[in-house]
Amino acid sequence: MATIGLDKLYYAKITENDAGEETYGTPSQLAKAISADLSVELAEATLYADDGASEIVKEFKSGTLSLGIDDIGSAAASDLTGATIDKNKVLISASEDGGDPVAVGFRAKKSNGKYKYYWLYRVKFGIPATNLATKGDSITFSTPTIEGTILRRNKADAGSKHPWKAEALEGDVTAATITNWYKEVYEPTYTALPEKTT
């Protein structure tokens, strides 16, 4: 079913222990969402035997998230890109900056009126692109775009897998799952653990 809307764009800061396993902070609103383009890159391998393809493996490698937003505030820009806010509350970007990964959550409205909710567990953002134009005969909005690389998380879930995305369709999941979606980054739970792959 087609989507007709996008809103509630949030991010959660990540802290890591010595093993690199993530703990997520309380989600905060990033900005008002205009667009979200998500593309995925797969690692692929094909084993040929007896003159044909015997086994094919396709695994998540990384992804790219490009967000069109109305504005990015100083606090969010600092969290996402590593820029510094000085004592006068001026955002200072330096060549040595490099933000830490964050989790990113948002929702998309479906044409039936229900929402699909997302969490991307580990996104490393670059410097936001800025488009500026002088005012002419008509009004043109200039809005920033920020692009990040999506990675799988280091921390394994209860099924010993390393998720990179969680999706929930309103009506298919419990009401509590939707109610709590932006209170904390969703943690996978299983009634029966998936089989481990060797």
Side-chain angles (χ1 to χ4, degrees), residues 150-168:
I150 304 163
L151 304 165
R152 70 170 206 167
R153 73 179 191 179
N154 297 324
K155 179 182 175 183
D157 64 15
S160 299
K161 298 198 176 195
H162 299 270
W164 64 275
K165 176 177 74 167
E167 293 181 31

Side-chain angles (χ1 to χ4, degrees), residues 8 10 27 104-107 116-121 165-169 173 175-187:
K8 292 205 173 235
Y10 279 68
V104 176
F106 52 91
R107 70 179 188 173
K116 184 178 262 191
Y117 291 79
Y118 296 86
W119 271 112
L120 302 174
Y121 286 111
K165 176 177 74 167
E167 293 181 31
L169 183 58
V173 298
T177 300
I178 299 303
T179 302
N180 293 320
W181 198 257
Y182 293 108
K183 292 180 181 175
E184 59 186 11
V185 175
Y186 180 78
E187 188 65 39

Side-chain angles (χ1 to χ4, degrees), residues 42-148:
L42 299 176
E44 300 183 42
T46 303
L47 173 66
Y48 291 92
D50 287 339
D51 295 331
S54 175
E55 292 185 39
I56 299 173
V57 175
K58 294 186 179 197
E59 293 182 349
F60 174 80
K61 184 177 176 184
S62 67
T64 302
L65 176 67
S66 182
L67 294 173
I69 52 180
D70 69 330
D71 194 12
I72 185 166
S74 295
S78 178
D79 289 342
L80 271 55
T81 68
T84 305
I85 301 172
D86 77 1
K87 69 177 186 175
N88 295 315
K89 301 197 185 305
V90 175
L91 185 69
I92 307 297
S93 297
S95 61
E96 297 83 4
D97 292 344
D100 294 323
V102 296
V104 176
F106 52 91
R107 70 179 188 173
K109 190 172 187 178
K110 308 290 277 177
S111 57
N112 65 359
K114 294 185 178 181
Y115 287 91
K116 184 178 262 191
Y117 291 79
Y118 296 86
W119 271 112
L120 302 174
Y121 286 111
R122 191 175 179 92
V123 182
K124 175 112 171 135
F125 283 101
I127 306 299
T130 305
N131 301 310
L132 305 172
T134 191
K135 187 172 148 185
D137 291 336
S138 61
I139 296 173
T140 303
F141 289 104
S142 296
T143 57
T145 301
I146 187 164
E147 189 171 287

